[in-house]
Amino acid sequence: MASNFPLNTDDSKPSISLNAEQVRYIKIVKSKILDGTYRLITIPCLCGSDGKDDVTITDKDRYGFDIGSKLCANCGLIRSERIFDEASTIGFYTHEYRKIYQPDESGAEALFSDQNKRGEVFYALFQKEIGNICNATVFEIGCGAGGILYPFYKAGYTTEGIDYDKEHLEYGKTKGLNLQFGDYKEAVPRQSKDIIILSHVLEHMSNPVRELNDIFEKIKDNGYLILEVPGIFCIHTMYFDPIVYFQNAHVYSFYKDYLVKIAEQIGVTVKYADERATLILQKPVGWRRNETLTLTDPRLKAKSAEIKSYLYNNYIKNKFKISPYYWKYLFFTTLRNLKLIK
């Protein structure tokens, strides 16, 4: 199986269609990398493996950045071969990230709408699994335009959000949301929030275990974290082709069992978890920080071979267009383009 990897070659060409604005901002980022404005560094796997048996899954990301992805043979976690250092990360998310990932043709309104749909799912899931919490404060880290918060806001929760994208924050404010620019670590006092939402943010963080500890310090005793990342085992339903899943901004690619293991080891309670990698975690009374993990569980090691097989099989299915999810997506996209459905 290892001989089937990497799934692509580093030819600096994108694996997805891009508009002119995306191409322009990708060139800007590549230029900043070349002149040293943005610095790339390497990172180890969270399990501490020496990496000698790791498998290179891709040699480039979907945008054509020569940043590959490696699969850890010890625990099944996938990580970027190189990531931006801290200062470069702030610059990238402030100036270029949204221009590449959500180009202007979609706009803040479209982003808000997409986020709102996911927010409705989060709200319904929370009500089902936990129930209503009177007078609760819901805070979202990396809120973008604030659409995820909107269903909670309409339900009467006190909602707040923070992000580095001023343009999208301003749009969210027009919806009545309390959104601010900056870093949550400076803006949020300890034990001040009942619920924190971290949706598609943890995979962007270079030290996710430390970040989770930092976040739980901001949550009140018995409070909750609604966590979601793009789960590896859902690539076939959402991305179809693994090649278009891997992107330079994602530091780690998680799966449900890995996140559950981390949650258990840092001492929080898993109230809900699914393979999409959506979790609801609760902070117990008396919780204390714990950044020391033991990720040598043989069940995690077995996931490495499972993930490798899963990625290759879906790569082949997409290459020969035999994925039922691809055809389902194409069918409904065609109906929407013809304005036969919304």
Side-chain angles (χ1 to χ4, degrees):
M1 181 67 72
S3 61
N4 295 320
F5 295 92
L7 298 176
N8 56 15
T9 56
D10 181 16
D11 56 10
S12 298
K13 296 179 180 178
S15 303
I16 59 174
S17 298
L18 303 171
N19 64 28
E21 181 178 68
Q22 287 174 299
V23 171
R24 183 165 77 88
Y25 277 92
I26 287 169
K27 287 181 178 178
I28 290 172
V29 174
K30 287 184 176 181
S31 176
K32 288 183 176 181
I33 292 172
L34 285 174
D35 68 19
T37 302
Y38 287 167
R39 181 169 172 261
L40 291 169
I41 59 175
T42 59
I43 54 169
C45 184
L46 296 182
C47 73
S49 169
D50 59 16
K52 64 180 182 180
D53 295 322
D54 291 353
V55 175
T56 299
I57 301 297
T58 62
D59 271 335
K60 64 177 180 180
D61 87 326
R62 71 185 187 188
Y63 296 107
F65 290 105
D66 61 341
I67 297 174
S69 297
K70 284 188 173 294
L71 172 67
C72 177
N74 183 60
C75 69
L77 185 65
I78 295 177
R79 68 186 187 279
S80 289
E81 289 185 306
R82 298 183 296 161
I83 67 168
F84 292 128
D85 66 10
E86 187 173 354
S88 304
T89 296
I90 293 173
F92 174 66
Y93 282 103
T94 301
H95 301 295
E96 293 98 16
Y97 172 73
R98 294 287 181 193
K99 301 296 185 181
I100 296 173
Y101 282 69
Q102 282 102 24
D104 280 347
E105 68 178 24
S106 59
E109 182 178 0
L111 174 62
F112 184 90
S113 177
D114 287 343
Q115 289 183 319
N116 182 59
K117 292 174 185 176
R118 197 63 198 149
E120 290 174 348
V121 173
F122 286 169
Y123 177 76
L125 177 65
F126 193 84
Q127 296 304 302
K128 177 184 176 183
E129 299 295 330
I130 307 300
N132 188 58
I133 302 178
C134 295
N135 302 315
T137 298
V138 183
F139 187 91
E140 184 179 7
I141 299 169
C143 64
I148 285 177
L149 287 168
Y150 201 56
F152 293 88
Y153 170 75
K154 290 192 297 182
Y157 285 84
T158 299
T159 55
E160 303 167 337
I162 197 164
D163 202 290
Y164 282 118
D165 191 305
K166 293 180 179 179
E167 179 182 347
H168 289 106
L169 289 172
E170 290 304 315
Y171 182 85
K173 290 177 183 179
T174 68
K175 298 292 186 177
L177 294 170
N178 179 10
L179 308 178
Q180 59 182 303
F181 175 89
D183 187 339
Y184 79 92
K185 294 177 185 177
E186 299 175 356
V188 181
R190 290 167 57 91
Q191 298 202 53
S192 63
K193 307 302 177 187
D194 298 289
I195 304 166
I196 287 182
I197 299 174
L198 193 70
S199 176
H200 290 253
V201 174
L202 190 69
E203 69 271 20
H204 297 261
M205 295 177 166
S206 61
N207 195 328
V209 177
R210 182 183 66 198
E211 294 290 346
L212 285 172
N213 276 275
D214 289 343
I215 290 167
F216 275 105
E217 285 188 337
K218 308 295 186 180
I219 298 174
K220 296 177 182 178
D221 287 347
N222 290 323
Y224 298 91
L225 172 65
I226 301 174
L227 170 66
E228 182 172 85
V229 300
I232 278 288
F233 287 111
C234 281
I235 287 177
H236 67 290
T237 66
M238 301 174 68
Y239 298 87
F240 314 125
D241 188 349
I243 287 177
V244 303
Y245 168 86
F246 294 105
Q247 48 201 274
N248 74 302
H250 287 185
V251 179
Y252 293 105
S253 296
F254 296 98
Y255 54 92
K256 181 194 74 174
D257 292 349
Y258 204 96
L259 290 172
V260 167
K261 186 74 172 180
I262 289 176
E264 291 172 347
Q265 292 203 14
I266 67 173
V268 297
T269 304
V270 179
K271 305 296 288 187
Y272 175 85
D274 62 30
E275 207 58 77
R276 181 172 173 141
T278 305
L279 294 86
I280 299 177
L281 307 176
Q282 185 175 31
K283 176 184 176 180
V285 176
W287 176 85
R288 295 181 181 276
R289 291 183 68 100
N290 177 26
E291 296 184 37
T292 304
L293 302 184
T294 303
L295 297 170
T296 55
D297 191 322
R299 290 173 296 181
L300 297 185
K301 187 177 180 67
K303 285 289 184 180
S304 181
E306 184 181 344
I307 289 171
K308 194 161 50 175
S309 177
Y310 170 83
L311 293 176
Y312 184 71
N313 287 340
N314 281 282
Y315 167 75
I316 292 298
K317 286 179 181 179
N318 187 75
K319 182 177 181 180
F320 293 103
K321 299 295 183 285
I322 57 177
S323 167
Y325 292 95
Y326 170 81
W327 290 107
K328 180 180 178 181
Y329 167 80
L330 191 64
F331 174 72
F332 283 105
T333 299
T334 301
L335 292 182
R336 291 188 186 95
N337 290 338
L338 294 173
K339 297 184 178 180
L340 297 176
I341 62 171
K342 293 184 179 180

